[in-house]
Amino acid sequence: GGAWEAYLVEANPWFGPSLRALQDKYPGKVHVFSSTAAFMCAATASFYLDSHNHEHNYWGSSMSFNHPDAVRGGHKKVTVPTVNVIQMIRENTVQSDSVILKMDIEGAEWDIVPCLASSPFATLVDSFYLEEHPLSWNPDTPTTEADMKKAKSKLMARGVKMPQYFSQTLFLLNGTEAVGANASLSS
Protein backbone atom coordinates (compact mmCIF):
# COMPACT_ATOMS: atom_id res chain seq x y z
CA GLY A 1 0.00 0.00 0.00
CA GLY A 2 1.38 3.22 1.29
CA ALA A 3 4.70 4.96 1.59
CA TRP A 4 7.50 2.89 3.07
CA GLU A 5 11.21 2.92 3.74
CA ALA A 6 13.58 0.19 4.93
CA TYR A 7 16.88 0.62 6.75
CA LEU A 8 18.98 -2.52 6.37
CA VAL A 9 21.99 -3.08 8.61
CA GLU A 10 24.23 -6.07 7.91
CA ALA A 11 27.72 -6.59 9.32
CA ASN A 12 28.67 -9.48 7.04
CA PRO A 13 30.47 -7.98 4.02
CA TRP A 14 29.41 -10.93 1.84
CA PHE A 15 25.88 -9.48 1.69
CA GLY A 16 26.94 -6.02 0.51
CA PRO A 17 26.34 -6.57 -3.23
CA SER A 18 22.86 -8.06 -2.69
CA LEU A 19 21.83 -5.28 -0.33
CA ARG A 20 23.17 -2.55 -2.62
CA ALA A 21 21.18 -4.13 -5.48
CA LEU A 22 18.03 -3.69 -3.35
CA GLN A 23 18.98 -0.09 -2.66
CA ASP A 24 19.50 0.49 -6.39
CA LYS A 25 16.17 -1.17 -7.18
CA TYR A 26 14.32 1.02 -4.63
CA PRO A 27 16.17 4.36 -4.58
CA GLY A 28 15.12 6.59 -1.70
CA LYS A 29 13.19 3.69 -0.16
CA VAL A 30 15.91 1.22 0.85
CA HIS A 31 18.86 2.55 2.85
CA VAL A 32 21.74 0.12 3.26
CA PHE A 33 24.39 0.03 5.96
CA SER A 34 26.50 -2.86 4.66
CA SER A 35 29.60 -4.06 6.46
CA THR A 36 28.09 -2.32 9.50
CA ALA A 37 26.92 -3.93 12.74
CA ALA A 38 23.75 -2.97 14.59
CA PHE A 39 24.62 -2.00 18.15
CA MET A 40 23.75 0.38 20.98
CA CYS A 41 26.35 2.98 20.01
CA ALA A 42 28.34 4.21 17.04
CA ALA A 43 31.84 2.74 17.19
CA THR A 44 33.69 -0.19 15.62
CA ALA A 45 33.46 -3.87 16.45
CA SER A 46 35.12 -7.15 15.65
CA PHE A 47 32.87 -9.33 13.52
CA TYR A 48 33.56 -13.04 13.00
CA LEU A 49 32.62 -14.53 9.64
CA ASP A 50 30.81 -17.84 9.29
CA SER A 51 32.45 -19.39 6.23
CA HIS A 52 30.80 -22.82 6.57
CA ASN A 53 27.02 -22.44 6.40
CA HIS A 54 26.47 -21.50 2.76
CA GLU A 55 23.16 -23.38 2.67
CA HIS A 56 21.94 -21.18 5.55
CA ASN A 57 23.26 -17.90 4.16
CA TYR A 58 26.23 -17.83 6.61
CA TRP A 59 23.82 -17.38 9.50
CA GLY A 60 26.51 -17.90 12.16
CA SER A 61 28.47 -14.72 11.41
CA SER A 62 28.56 -12.83 14.68
CA MET A 63 30.17 -10.16 16.86
CA SER A 64 30.62 -12.96 19.38
CA PHE A 65 34.02 -14.65 19.60
CA ASN A 66 32.17 -17.53 21.33
CA HIS A 67 29.59 -18.17 18.61
CA PRO A 68 29.92 -21.83 17.56
CA ASP A 69 30.37 -20.91 13.89
CA ALA A 70 33.01 -18.28 14.74
CA VAL A 71 34.92 -20.98 16.62
CA ARG A 72 34.44 -23.53 13.83
CA GLY A 73 35.59 -21.00 11.22
CA GLY A 74 38.83 -20.29 13.06
CA HIS A 75 37.71 -16.82 14.19
CA LYS A 76 37.99 -15.17 10.76
CA LYS A 77 37.65 -11.56 11.89
CA VAL A 78 36.86 -8.29 10.17
CA THR A 79 36.46 -4.90 11.84
CA VAL A 80 33.26 -3.06 10.98
CA PRO A 81 31.65 0.19 12.08
CA THR A 82 28.56 -0.01 14.25
CA VAL A 83 25.37 1.98 13.98
CA ASN A 84 23.30 2.98 16.99
CA VAL A 85 19.90 1.33 16.41
CA ILE A 86 18.07 3.65 18.82
CA GLN A 87 19.54 6.72 17.12
CA MET A 88 18.53 5.32 13.72
CA ILE A 89 14.95 4.93 14.92
CA ARG A 90 14.91 8.42 16.49
CA GLU A 91 16.31 10.15 13.40
CA ASN A 92 14.22 8.35 10.77
CA THR A 93 10.76 7.85 12.23
CA VAL A 94 7.90 9.77 13.80
CA GLN A 95 5.15 8.54 16.10
CA SER A 96 2.60 8.24 13.27
CA ASP A 97 4.86 5.86 11.30
CA SER A 98 4.32 2.14 11.47
CA VAL A 99 7.77 0.91 12.58
CA ILE A 100 8.88 -2.70 12.41
CA LEU A 101 12.23 -3.61 13.95
CA LYS A 102 13.71 -7.00 13.01
CA MET A 103 16.75 -8.01 15.01
CA ASP A 104 18.82 -11.15 14.43
CA ILE A 105 22.27 -10.12 15.59
CA GLU A 106 23.75 -13.30 17.05
CA GLY A 107 24.01 -12.26 20.70
CA ALA A 108 24.48 -8.49 20.52
CA GLU A 109 20.77 -8.14 21.34
CA TRP A 110 21.76 -8.70 25.00
CA ASP A 111 23.30 -5.21 24.90
CA ILE A 112 20.78 -3.41 22.68
CA VAL A 113 17.41 -4.56 24.05
CA PRO A 114 17.88 -3.20 27.61
CA CYS A 115 19.04 0.15 26.17
CA LEU A 116 16.07 0.29 23.83
CA ALA A 117 13.66 -0.54 26.68
CA SER A 118 15.04 2.41 28.68
CA SER A 119 14.98 4.82 25.76
CA PRO A 120 12.18 7.38 25.35
CA PHE A 121 12.24 6.45 21.63
CA ALA A 122 11.16 2.84 22.23
CA THR A 123 7.55 3.94 21.79
CA LEU A 124 8.31 4.71 18.14
CA VAL A 125 8.56 0.94 17.52
CA ASP A 126 5.26 -0.78 16.83
CA SER A 127 6.46 -4.36 16.30
CA PHE A 128 9.77 -5.89 17.33
CA TYR A 129 10.78 -9.22 15.79
CA LEU A 130 13.64 -10.34 18.03
CA GLU A 131 15.60 -13.51 17.53
CA GLU A 132 17.12 -14.08 20.95
CA HIS A 133 20.37 -16.04 21.05
CA PRO A 134 22.08 -17.71 24.00
CA LEU A 135 23.57 -15.34 26.57
CA SER A 136 26.82 -17.33 26.26
CA TRP A 137 27.30 -15.80 22.79
CA ASN A 138 27.85 -12.42 24.50
CA PRO A 139 29.84 -13.19 27.66
CA ASP A 140 31.04 -9.60 28.11
CA THR A 141 27.56 -8.11 28.48
CA PRO A 142 26.45 -7.00 31.93
CA THR A 143 22.90 -8.07 31.00
CA THR A 144 21.53 -11.10 32.84
CA GLU A 145 18.65 -13.31 31.74
CA ALA A 146 16.48 -11.54 34.35
CA ASP A 147 17.51 -8.15 32.90
CA MET A 148 16.56 -9.28 29.38
CA LYS A 149 13.18 -10.57 30.54
CA LYS A 150 12.54 -7.28 32.36
CA ALA A 151 13.56 -5.25 29.27
CA LYS A 152 11.22 -7.21 26.99
CA SER A 153 8.38 -6.83 29.51
CA LYS A 154 9.06 -3.10 29.69
CA LEU A 155 8.93 -2.79 25.88
CA MET A 156 5.63 -4.67 25.73
CA ALA A 157 4.19 -2.54 28.57
CA ARG A 158 5.09 0.51 26.48
CA GLY A 159 3.02 -0.86 23.58
CA VAL A 160 5.71 -2.61 21.51
CA LYS A 161 4.35 -5.87 20.06
CA MET A 162 6.91 -8.67 20.41
CA PRO A 163 5.63 -11.87 18.79
CA GLN A 164 7.60 -15.11 19.11
CA TYR A 165 10.08 -15.03 16.26
CA PHE A 166 12.72 -17.13 14.55
CA SER A 167 14.31 -15.80 11.38
CA GLN A 168 14.82 -17.99 8.36
CA THR A 169 17.49 -15.51 7.14
CA LEU A 170 15.58 -14.88 3.92
CA PHE A 171 12.11 -13.49 4.43
CA LEU A 172 9.17 -12.22 2.42
CA LEU A 173 7.62 -8.83 3.08
CA ASN A 174 4.60 -7.87 0.98
CA GLY A 175 5.62 -10.48 -1.59
CA THR A 176 9.07 -8.94 -2.09
CA GLU A 177 12.14 -10.94 -1.14
CA ALA A 178 14.72 -9.21 1.02
CA VAL A 179 18.11 -10.72 1.65
CA GLY A 180 19.97 -11.33 4.89
CA ALA A 181 19.44 -8.04 6.70
CA ASN A 182 19.95 -8.46 10.41
CA ALA A 183 18.32 -5.32 11.67
CA SER A 184 15.83 -3.28 9.77
CA LEU A 185 13.03 -0.86 10.33
CA SER A 186 10.38 0.51 8.07
CA SER A 187 8.07 3.46 8.34
Side-chain angles (χ1 to χ4, degrees):
W4 63 273
E5 286 186 70
Y7 290 79
L8 308 177
V9 179
E10 175 53 68
N12 191 329
W14 295 336
F15 294 113
S18 297
L19 292 173
R20 283 189 294 280
L22 281 172
Q23 184 172 264
D24 292 345
K25 184 175 180 178
Y26 301 102
K29 297 284 189 187
V30 173
H31 311 275
V32 171
F33 297 80
S34 66
S35 297
T36 302
F39 204 52
M40 62 188 185
C41 61
T44 60
S46 295
F47 186 75
Y48 300 93
L49 299 174
D50 170 359
S51 57
H52 299 290
N53 291 305
H54 178 72
E55 67 280 0
H56 294 292
N57 230 0
Y58 308 105
W59 64 0
S61 295
S62 175
M63 287 172 43
S64 171
F65 185 84
N66 292 332
H67 189 286
D69 291 319
V71 173
R72 197 170 96 190
H75 297 107
K76 185 175 181 180
K77 179 174 82 169
V78 295
T79 299
V80 297
T82 62
V83 63
N84 182 325
V85 172
I86 299 165
Q87 181 180 357
M88 182 183 291
I89 293 167
R90 176 180 55 87
E91 291 177 354
N92 295 288
T93 66
V94 295
Q95 198 65 52
S96 61
D97 289 339
S98 186
V99 178
I100 301 167
L101 176 62
K102 175 193 176 278
M103 188 176 293
D104 178 4
I105 53 177
E106 307 304 312
E109 67 273 9
W110 289 88
D111 292 316
I112 297 174
V113 172
C115 289
L116 178 61
S118 296
S119 169
F121 305 107
T123 59
L124 292 170
V125 178
D126 296 289
S127 297
F128 185 10
Y129 293 86
L130 171 66
E131 184 168 322
E132 189 174 323
H133 298 88
L135 177 56
S136 64
W137 291 7
N138 190 347
D140 297 327
T141 185
T143 304
T144 65
E145 290 189 17
D147 294 335
M148 179 64 102
K149 183 176 182 180
K150 182 178 176 182
K152 292 187 297 185
S153 293
K154 187 174 183 179
L155 286 167
M156 289 185 282
R158 295 177 77 192
V160 178
K161 296 179 204 80
M162 293 188 67
Q164 290 290 345
Y165 179 70
F166 176 75
S167 170
Q168 297 302 315
T169 303
L170 298 178
F171 60 94
L172 292 177
L173 183 62
N174 294 331
T176 304
E177 188 174 289
V179 182
N182 279 341
S184 62
L185 62 97
S186 61
S187 57

